[in-house]
Amino acid sequence: AFTSASRSTSQALLDLSPNKTAITATSLTYNSDGTFSYGGSDYLTLPSSTGSFGTTNFTICCWWKSSTTPSNYTAIMEQGFTGSPTNGAWAFKVSHSSDNLNFTYYNNGISDNLSGVGVCDGNWHYLVAVRAGTTLTLYKDTVSVLTITLPTNYSFGEGSSVFVGYNPRDGAYLKGTLPVLQTYNRELTVTEIQQNYNIASQRYNLGSTVNPIVSKLVSNNTSQTITQITNGEFDEVTYNLNSGVNTNFYYSSQNFL
C-alpha cells in the first residue's frame, strides 16, 4: 500500500527485470518528486529468490538520501538476519552508531564489516555492493570504501524472505528516501558503476552532464536503445543480454502498475 494523493492502494510496484518479482510494500509513502520515503515502519518484502545469489557474482546498487541517523543497524537490503541467523544470511546496511555503510554475512558466526564512511548526512548517495569471487567491495558515489575477503565458495542466501528498508533482527527501519534499488546477476566494473552514477546523477542534482546512450531491457529478453534525457525517466543502465549482462531485480519509484 502507498500513501499518496496521486497513487492508489490498488497500484503496485513493478520489478523491471525479466524475473517480474512480486513486491509487497508496507506503509510506503510516495512523494510528489517521484521518490519513496521510508519513515520508521516502511519496508518492502521480496521472495527469497531475490537474495539467493549462491556462489555466483552479483551487484546491489541504490540511490539513498537519509532523513536521520537510524536508531539501530538498519538494512538497505537483507536476507536471513533474524534472531538466529544461519549460514548464507547477509545484509547490506547502515550502522546506527556512526552511520557507517557496511556489509554483514553469516558463516558459522556473524561477520560485520564497517566501511568507516558515513552515508546519513541528508545528501544523495549512490551505494553499491559488488561480489567478485572471494572479494566483496562497497562503493559510495563510485569510490571504493571497503573491500572484504569472503570464505571460498561462500553461498549467499538461506531461503527466507528478502527485506528492503528493514532489519528484523534489531527491529530497525531505514529513515529516508530510497527511490531506486537494483541487483545484477554479475559484478559490475568500476566503469559501469560510474556510468550508472552519471546517468542518474542529473536527477539528483549532482551536476553530471553526461548524456550517454543506454539499453533498456524489455520483457522478451532483447534490448532496445534509447537516448538518456535529463528527465529521470530511466534511473539505471540495464545492459544488452547479448553481452552477458543482465539485471536480476530492479525497483524504481518511477514505475507502477
Side-chain angles (χ1 to χ4, degrees):
F2 305 105
T3 303
S4 172
S6 61
R7 301 289 178 181
S8 72
T9 56
S10 63
Q11 291 177 297
L13 272 169
L14 287 171
D15 172 13
L16 299 184
S17 80
N19 294 331
K20 305 302 179 188
T21 302
I23 306 173
T24 302
T26 301
S27 302
L28 214 57
T29 299
Y30 185 78
N31 303 314
S32 60
D33 62 354
T35 61
F36 281 128
S37 289
Y38 292 71
S41 61
D42 314 317
Y43 62 97
L44 303 179
T45 306
L46 312 175
S48 62
S49 58
T50 313
S52 297
F53 300 111
T55 59
T56 61
N57 296 332
F58 63 84
T59 302
I60 304 169
C61 41
C62 70
W63 280 94
W64 161 248
K65 182 180 180 181
S66 65
S67 59
T68 184
T69 301
S71 58
N72 211 324
Y73 284 99
T74 186
I76 296 167
M77 188 176 192
E78 74 88 43
Q79 182 181 38
F81 266 95
T82 58
S84 300
T86 58
N87 287 353
W90 60 271
F92 184 28
K93 61 185 184 178
V94 179
S95 165
H96 64 292
S97 58
S98 55
D99 85 60
N100 276 197
L101 182 69
N102 72 358
F103 198 99
T104 301
Y105 65 94
Y106 194 91
N107 184 51
N108 300 319
I110 294 175
S111 178
D112 198 20
N113 304 276
L114 277 71
S115 68
V117 174
V119 295
C120 294
D121 56 6
N123 297 313
W124 283 110
H125 295 296
Y126 188 53
L127 309 179
V128 181
V130 179
R131 190 255 178 96
T134 58
T135 300
L136 192 141
T137 306
L138 300 186
Y139 296 85
K140 173 187 174 183
D141 301 331
T142 75
V143 177
S144 172
V145 296
L146 177 70
T147 298
I148 62 176
T149 300
L150 300 169
T152 302
N153 294 322
Y154 183 76
S155 181
F156 283 88
E158 46 68 89
S160 63
S161 296
V162 173
F163 293 108
V164 174
Y166 176 48
N167 168 14
R169 178 180 174 84
D170 298 303
Y173 299 85
L174 279 183
K175 295 181 180 180
T177 306
L178 189 74
V180 175
L181 176 70
Q182 188 171 16
T183 69
Y184 293 80
N185 61 9
R186 54 146 279 179
E187 76 279 13
L188 293 190
T189 66
V190 173
T191 298
E192 291 167 332
I193 292 170
Q194 182 72 60
Q195 186 178 29
N196 274 357
Y197 177 86
N198 288 343
I199 287 172
S201 61
Q202 295 180 49
R203 178 183 177 194
Y204 303 113
N205 298 316
L206 300 179
S208 173
T209 58
V210 177
N211 187 35
I213 301 297
V214 301
S215 294
K216 179 190 175 186
L217 202 64
V218 294
S219 59
N220 62 354
N221 290 348
T222 61
S223 65
Q224 65 185 78
T225 300
I226 60 170
T227 301
Q228 170 67 21
I229 309 299
T230 60
N231 60 7
E233 181 180 0
F234 299 102
D235 299 290
E236 300 283 335
V237 175
T238 51
Y239 295 91
N240 192 327
L241 283 174
N242 294 330
S243 63
V245 187
N246 185 18
T247 46
N248 181 57
F249 172 77
Y250 182 11
Y251 129 84
S252 170
S253 57
Q254 298 292 303
N255 301 280
F256 291 84
L257 288 173

